[in-house]
Amino acid sequence: MPKSNSTDNALGYECCQCDEHFNSLSEFYKSYSSFYNKTRHLPICKKCLIRKFNQYTLEYNSTKKAMQRICIAFDLYYSDDIFDTCNNGNDSVIVGNYIKKLNMNQYKGRTFDNSLDEGFSFTGEKSASLNGADADSDEQQINPKDIENWGGGLSAIDYNALNSHYKFLKDANPQCDSNAEIFIIDLCYTKMQQLKAVREGRVDDYNKLTDSYRKTFDKAGLKTVRESSVDEDFTVGVNIETIEKYTPAEFYKNKQLYKDYDDLGNYLERFLLRPLRNLMHGTKDRDFEFFVKDEGDSNEYDDEE
């Protein structure tokens, strides 16, 4: 529980992780665990709990497993249903949102004991050990294909980190050649070592690995965000749509351009509107090319005969 100092109120409550003192319990999350009866709050401050959650997320490569690990460590009730409602993609607020849900009436008083009673297991499946069967070992969970691709001697967490980062780099660089592929594999190994350094608290090694990763990444000329290909995405239909969005095809600066491209207007004027006017108004307008000649009439076609 948060340590309190009754002789010196200025010290207030102390976080078990960072040893920082707070004047109010508002800096600590509430708890229903009997381990913290004195204050009914967790012994770790909110900032440190979130930092611990982020560390577990890197270690397990999963926010769900990270939340499960937090619940195990601090005797909090865990439920997949609650987690799914809080997992909105923003890792920085998952912990706070999750614990707030635990304060709802239907979850009050529940601890991790209730999760075990409901058949919790760290893998997220019903625990086989509750029926007397042993859970699969870490070695048994390793895919033989991972050993073939990355080599042996690594843990399941390491293989997950390698596969995850490989997929990330390949998705962002789909057109990479065999030379870039070599860099990608090296970057995956470096990223795995970075995560191990974080888990083991080796700050200097992490900084060295980060610098090595950055240099290799720059040398490889890779991207972290996939760029749309003109040949792939800018099709004829998209091209026309873009042009019409900014310069609609039915409007032209030169109003006479394409005014009667197929000469349909001229045809209607000569052979539909002209005879119609003659019929309505009694006029005798003739077509300049096709008409019955009167005596004395001549046209340009007579000269050609």
Side-chain angles (χ1 to χ4, degrees), residues 222-239:
L222 299 174
K223 304 291 183 182
T224 56
V225 179
R226 180 173 181 175
E227 295 182 349
S228 297
S229 170
V230 173
D231 294 335
E232 178 181 349
D233 296 330
F234 206 66
T235 60
V236 173
V238 175
N239 192 3

Side-chain angles (χ1 to χ4, degrees), residues 234 237-253:
F234 206 66
V238 175
N239 192 3
I240 294 175
E241 180 185 8
T242 303
I243 294 174
E244 296 237 358
K245 182 177 179 181
Y246 299 100
T247 307
E250 62 267 25
F251 297 104
Y252 300 92
K253 293 181 179 179

Side-chain angles (χ1 to χ4, degrees), residues 85-220:
T85 63
C86 302
N87 188 23
N88 58 2
N90 188 346
D91 295 352
S92 62
V93 299
I94 290 178
V95 175
N97 289 341
Y98 183 89
I99 297 180
K100 286 179 182 178
K101 295 280 187 181
L102 295 183
N103 292 323
M104 298 174 67
N105 289 331
Q106 61 266 42
Y107 304 118
K108 280 188 177 181
R110 295 194 183 187
T111 64
F112 195 73
D113 289 338
N114 299 99
S115 301
L116 292 176
D117 293 339
E118 295 171 3
F120 169 86
S121 71
F122 192 66
T123 60
E125 301 173 353
K126 296 299 180 180
S127 176
S129 60
L130 294 178
N131 298 323
D134 294 329
D136 292 338
S137 66
D138 195 41
E139 290 295 328
Q140 292 173 319
Q141 296 175 5
I142 295 177
N143 190 331
K145 190 70 174 178
D146 291 338
I147 298 177
E148 179 183 345
N149 292 336
W150 303 105
L154 302 175
S155 67
I157 296 175
D158 293 333
Y159 287 119
N160 288 337
L162 289 167
N163 291 331
S164 176
H165 201 61
Y166 180 82
K167 183 178 184 302
F168 168 75
L169 291 177
K170 290 290 288 185
D171 288 345
N173 303 272
Q175 306 299 329
C176 65
D177 55 19
S178 56
N179 291 330
E181 181 77 11
I182 296 175
F183 284 111
I184 288 178
I185 292 174
D186 288 342
L187 289 170
C188 290
Y189 282 119
T190 305
K191 177 58 68 175
M192 179 198 68
Q193 293 292 337
Q194 275 185 305
L195 298 177
K196 292 183 71 173
V198 170
R199 293 197 297 268
E200 297 169 7
R202 295 181 282 111
V203 178
D204 291 339
D205 290 341
Y206 174 81
N207 291 334
K208 291 178 182 178
L209 289 166
T210 301
D211 185 58
S212 174
Y213 184 97
R214 186 181 300 110
K215 290 179 180 178
T216 304
F217 192 91
D218 292 340
K219 186 176 180 180

Side-chain angles (χ1 to χ4, degrees), residues 49 53 56-57 60 62-73 76-79 82-83 86 94-99 102 112 120 122:
L49 187 64
F53 170 79
Y56 284 139
T57 299
Y60 299 116
S62 167
T63 54
K64 176 174 284 190
K65 287 187 176 181
M67 193 69 247
Q68 292 173 341
R69 184 65 181 86
I70 289 291
C71 291
I72 292 172
L76 297 170
Y77 175 67
Y78 178 79
S79 165
I82 300 176
F83 176 82
C86 302
I94 290 178
V95 175
N97 289 341
Y98 183 89
I99 297 180
L102 295 183
F112 195 73
F120 169 86
F122 192 66

Side-chain angles (χ1 to χ4, degrees), residues 5-6 8 12 27 33 41 43-44 48 58 70 78 84 86 89 99-100 138 144 186 224 226 240 254 273 291 297:
N5 191 316
S6 58
D8 187 358
E27 298 298 328
S33 173
H41 286 73
I44 185 172
C48 287
L58 289 174
I70 289 291
Y78 178 79
D84 291 340
C86 302
I99 297 180
K100 286 179 182 178
D138 195 41
D186 288 342
T224 56
R226 180 173 181 175
I240 294 175
N254 183 355
L273 297 180
F291 63 93
D297 287 340

